């Protein structure tokens, strides 16, 4: 019963993160640029301090960093969901990869209707972010398992 609740929670979280990403894609260029501009104002002084004035395109970094971080979160949630589903069938890992790739392609497709650019490079950035999320979950699981094993060996 506990596993079913966790699985339902993770499925709902997957839908929520995907919906958030698609919501961001539905925003027009003016609204999207305004949001990015706010973050650029916060990040730009740090970039200028670290790299020197004029050496970075802060707007570009913020926009692409947004893609990467959104999909890192999606990748982590999808991987956690796949792990729960794999207790029933191993084929869910393939579905996890397909899901994040399909979400990235759909994300760019949605943007093409809002007056924003739709770029293959963004799909690659999105998928890279998802793979980072997958890897983070795998590393954290491995660390937790080895900690549990170490604790078990001590007893």
């Amino acid at each position: 019963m506990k596993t079913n609740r966790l699985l339902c929670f993770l499925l709902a979280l997957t839908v929520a993160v995907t919906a958030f990403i698609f919501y961001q894609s539905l925003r027009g260029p003016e609204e999207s640029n305004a949001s990015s501009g706010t973050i650029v104002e916060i990040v730009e002084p740090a970039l200028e301090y670290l790299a020197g004035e004029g050496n970075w395109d802060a707007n570009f970094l913020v926009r692409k960093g947004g893609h990467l971080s959104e999909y890192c979160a999606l990748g982590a949630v999808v991987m956690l969901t796949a792990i729960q589903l794999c207790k029933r069938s191993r084929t869910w890992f393939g579905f996890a990869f397909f899901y994040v790739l399909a979400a990235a392609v759909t994300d760019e497709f949605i943007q093409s209707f809002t007056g924003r650019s739709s770029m293959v490079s963004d799909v690659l950035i999105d998928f890279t972010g998802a793979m980072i999320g997958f890897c983070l979950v795998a590393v954290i699981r491995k660390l937790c398992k080895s900690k549990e094993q170490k604790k078990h060996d001590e007893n």
Side-chain angles (χ1 to χ4, degrees), residues 95-115:
F95 177 76
F97 286 96
F98 174 76
Y99 183 86
V100 295
L101 183 58
V105 170
T106 302
D107 183 21
E108 291 304 307
F109 182 70
I110 290 169
Q111 284 184 23
S112 70
F113 293 102
T114 64

Side-chain angles (χ1 to χ4, degrees), residues 2 32 58 88 98 116 119 127:
K2 184 178 174 184
S32 178
R88 294 168 173 85
F98 174 76
R116 292 168 56 191
M119 301 185 325
F127 194 69

Side-chain angles (χ1 to χ4, degrees), residues 71 97-98 100-101 104 122-132:
Y71 277 87
F97 286 96
F98 174 76
V100 295
L101 183 58
D122 283 349
V123 173
L124 295 173
I125 292 168
D126 297 343
F127 194 69
T128 300
M131 293 303 102
I132 292 169

Side-chain angles (χ1 to χ4, degrees), residues 34-86:
S35 294
S36 295
T38 302
I39 296 170
V40 167
E41 288 177 15
I42 295 167
V43 171
E44 198 165 36
L47 287 174
E48 288 177 359
Y49 176 77
L50 293 171
E53 198 168 321
N55 291 333
W56 296 92
D57 180 357
N59 189 49
F60 176 82
L61 290 174
V62 165
R63 296 185 78 70
K64 300 312 170 190
H67 277 270
L68 195 75
S69 60
E70 287 175 342
Y71 277 87
C72 182
L74 181 63
V77 171
V78 168
M79 181 55 86
L80 289 169
T81 305
I83 289 166
Q84 287 301 309
L85 289 169
C86 281

